[in-house]
Amino acid sequence: MFNLYETIAVLKEYSIKRHYKSKHLQNYSKYTGSLRTEQFEALKRGLKSQQSLFTKANTEQESATRASFLAEEICPEKVNLFKSVSLSAKTVARRVQDIAENISSQLSDKNGHHGWFSLALDESTDVSDTAQVLIFIRGVDKSYEVYEELLDIDSIHGTTTGADIFKGVENAINKKNLRWRNLKSITTDGGKNICVSLCGKCLNVSEVLKPVISVVNFIRSTGLNHRQFREFIEEIGENDLPYHTAVRWLSCGKVLKRFFELLAEIEFFLNEKQCPFADLENSEWMWKLAFHVNLTNHMNELNLRLQGENQFLPDLYTNIKSFRQKIILFQSQLRKKCFTHFKTCEIFSHTTETEFPVNFAIETLSALKINFDTRFSDFDVIANEIKLFQNHFDSDIETLAPEVQMEIIDLQRSDMIKNKYQNSSLLEFYKSSTGTI
């Protein structure tokens, strides 16, 4: 007998799906169409009725304590009441521990069901100068359900060599009873999504970035300067200058872009402070600033495309190939001083008589393309396999490995499977075709 109103501790998509399949699928899968809608509404009314009953039966203080995990989310009208609840450091620590144990328990349950998993490692130093290695897991079970969790945190008190970090990873895998043979990949600072940032570091942007950072620091490093500058630009409806953070991928492009947008205001402010910025009178330097504003913006757009959930290798590889082709287009256009995709350069071209530094731009783009070609060359090697995974129906049989040619021919001639592919996402296609392909 199942409990209709049984709850789960962590509201994640994977947890909810598993709860439904294991507890309720047999009883409710028979309902379809309008019958399913009616049943859903009936259950919702029953749940509201039950919640109302419990609300009346308990005092406000008891309800506040019970709901204090997510006070503002659960009952925003009771925020002031929640603030009166005593939450000592020990209480908070105990509740965090309860949540952690629940997530750990769910991970242990999943371990027996998932087929493959990958890890992502991120190392940082806390306030006590202790190295903390965060180990994230992304798993896929045999039904193609994907989940992502924080697997473990390993504190390293001594050296932080590769061997030390590996020991932490090894302990986490063994502690969670994960199978080493199911580990398919590990992402660290050399991971392919981070490689875009590494490619960007090949750009010789220091000639532009260092003077910009110097000006930003002059404005923001003292309370008086920053306050006066902020008041000045707020009067004309502008937003503040951001700091540059080297470890953040998008920071450089954002700082350069905002700096260029506020050039007139920055120049005026520095002159008022009797600290003029000579590079603003240097047209060659200004051209390089405008060029890097646009180029780092294109890099940022690519970075954002490579982030987010439900992205597969074919999607990532497509974005990388597309950007490599765009670099070639940029080179062709900039040789002709066509600024269609370099709007900041176009704006600056109307304010100066100095020629655009074509050679500098072409050399910079060439170095960038070489870095992309080198760092992502292993994807090029398996390009046919990636294409096959993405679309069985657009693959040339002659280019495939002999051992899969017969099966792919069967798939390409199956109207039923082809219809599934055309009417669902790639993930849903593989889910629905389990046992067929």
Side-chain angles (χ1 to χ4, degrees):
M1 183 68 180
F2 68 91
N3 181 357
L4 180 62
Y5 297 105
E6 183 179 348
T7 62
I8 57 177
V10 182
L11 295 178
K12 295 180 72 69
E13 181 181 4
Y14 179 86
S15 302
I16 295 172
K17 284 184 178 179
R18 283 208 56 189
H19 176 81
Y20 173 75
K21 289 179 180 179
S22 60
K23 302 288 185 179
H24 306 295
L25 181 63
Q26 183 177 357
N27 295 279
Y28 292 104
S29 60
K30 60 187 177 183
Y31 295 106
T32 59
S34 60
L35 287 177
R36 189 176 182 86
T37 303
E38 291 174 6
Q39 184 67 19
F40 174 76
E41 293 298 330
L43 288 172
K44 190 163 68 171
R45 287 194 298 270
L47 178 61
K48 288 183 177 180
S49 176
Q50 186 187 59
Q51 290 173 335
S52 175
L53 178 63
F54 275 103
T55 301
K56 293 177 182 177
N58 294 290
T59 64
E60 285 190 339
Q61 188 67 26
E62 289 172 342
S63 299
T65 302
R66 184 179 297 107
S68 59
F69 273 110
L70 297 170
E72 294 186 9
E73 296 295 330
I74 294 174
C75 198
E77 70 276 8
K78 300 289 185 180
V79 170
N80 292 331
L81 179 61
F82 289 134
K83 290 180 180 178
S84 69
V85 178
S86 176
L87 291 177
S88 66
K90 288 184 178 180
T91 301
V92 173
R94 187 173 63 251
R95 291 177 178 176
V96 171
Q97 185 178 1
D98 290 341
I99 293 174
E101 289 176 354
N102 182 274
I103 293 175
S104 179
S105 175
Q106 289 188 50
L107 272 176
S108 296
D109 291 341
K110 294 169 186 174
N111 291 344
H113 299 281
H114 68 233
W116 311 272
F117 68 94
S118 59
L119 300 177
L121 311 181
D122 187 20
E123 186 266 331
S124 186
T125 303
D126 63 18
V127 292
S128 64
D129 290 330
T130 301
Q132 305 285 356
V133 179
L134 282 73
I135 306 171
F136 297 90
I137 183 172
R138 188 183 195 197
V140 184
D141 65 19
K142 295 175 182 178
S143 300
Y144 292 92
E145 295 289 345
V146 180
Y147 62 88
E148 296 177 351
E149 298 286 358
L150 174 63
L151 179 67
D152 202 3
I153 299 178
D154 182 53
S155 300
I156 303 179
H157 298 279
T159 59
T160 56
T161 64
D164 297 320
I165 293 175
F166 175 77
K167 286 180 182 177
V169 174
E170 184 179 32
N171 291 335
I173 288 179
N174 293 336
K175 186 164 57 177
K176 302 299 182 184
N177 296 318
L178 296 168
R179 300 181 181 90
W180 280 98
R181 65 176 179 270
N182 290 349
L183 174 60
K184 295 302 178 183
S185 66
I186 296 180
T187 298
T188 61
D189 286 347
K192 292 308 174 190
N193 52 342
I194 301 175
C195 274
V196 176
S197 179
L198 297 177
C199 287
K201 289 183 179 180
C202 79
L203 301 176
N204 184 19
V205 71
S206 59
E207 182 183 354
V208 168
L209 189 59
K210 283 183 179 179
V212 169
I213 292 175
S214 176
V215 172
V216 172
N217 288 343
F218 173 79
I219 293 173
R220 296 200 51 152
S221 61
T222 65
L224 177 62
N225 282 355
H226 189 205
R227 185 166 58 253
Q228 290 176 336
F229 181 77
R230 193 170 60 242
E231 290 173 354
F232 169 56
I233 61 174
E234 283 176 354
E235 288 179 2
I236 56 176
E238 293 287 355
N239 295 321
D240 202 2
L241 268 174
Y243 266 126
H244 169 60
T245 307
V247 297
R248 300 193 65 168
W249 301 355
L250 309 181
S251 176
C252 175
K254 289 183 177 180
V255 170
L256 294 179
K257 182 174 185 292
R258 194 73 188 117
F259 184 89
F260 189 89
E261 291 170 345
L262 293 175
L263 274 177
E265 292 76 14
I266 290 171
E267 184 175 20
F268 179 84
F269 182 80
L270 293 178
N271 289 335
E272 285 289 304
K273 288 288 182 178
Q274 297 182 351
C275 186
F277 183 40
D279 283 327
L280 295 180
E281 303 299 325
N282 184 341
S283 296
E284 253 185 63
W285 184 88
M286 287 294 297
W287 266 123
K288 292 178 180 179
L289 170 63
F291 171 76
H292 280 302
V293 167
N294 291 137
L295 184 56
T296 54
N297 181 62
H298 288 305
M299 294 283 292
N300 286 355
E301 289 178 359
L302 174 61
N303 266 318
L304 293 175
R305 287 186 180 183
L306 298 179
Q307 299 177 37
E309 297 181 354
N310 299 322
Q311 293 212 59
F312 294 95
L313 180 58
D315 304 316
L316 304 178
Y317 186 47
T318 296
N319 283 318
I320 294 297
K321 289 193 299 180
S322 174
F323 189 78
R324 285 154 68 177
Q325 188 64 37
K326 287 177 182 178
I327 294 176
I328 297 173
L329 174 66
F330 295 158
Q331 289 176 311
S332 173
Q333 290 183 335
L334 292 179
R335 282 193 181 96
K336 305 170 187 175
K337 300 178 185 178
C338 172
F339 302 127
T340 302
H341 303 292
F342 284 73
K343 295 298 183 183
T344 308
C345 290
E346 183 176 18
I347 292 171
F348 183 66
S349 68
H350 298 307
T351 65
T352 182
E353 295 181 358
T354 303
E355 290 292 317
F356 174 69
V358 175
N359 291 337
F360 168 81
I362 300 304
E363 289 173 5
T364 302
L365 290 170
S366 296
L368 184 62
K369 186 175 185 305
I370 290 172
N371 258 270
F372 267 87
D373 291 344
T374 302
R375 292 187 184 276
F376 294 95
S377 59
D378 49 350
F379 282 177
D380 297 332
V381 173
I382 60 170
N384 286 336
E385 287 86 344
I386 295 174
K387 182 179 180 181
L388 178 62
F389 173 78
Q390 185 178 25
N391 187 351
H392 306 298
F393 308 98
D394 191 33
S395 299
D396 183 358
I397 299 297
E398 296 296 330
T399 64
L400 301 179
E403 58 268 21
V404 301
Q405 289 175 327
M406 299 286 284
E407 287 80 1
I408 298 303
I409 289 175
D410 290 339
L411 288 175
Q412 291 182 347
R413 295 298 176 266
S414 171
D415 292 335
M416 181 185 71
I417 296 178
K418 186 179 294 186
N419 185 59
K420 283 183 181 179
Y421 177 82
Q422 293 173 342
N423 293 284
S424 59
S425 66
L426 189 60
L427 178 59
E428 292 301 323
F429 168 69
Y430 275 104
K431 284 182 182 180
S432 64
S433 301
T434 302
T436 306
I437 60 175

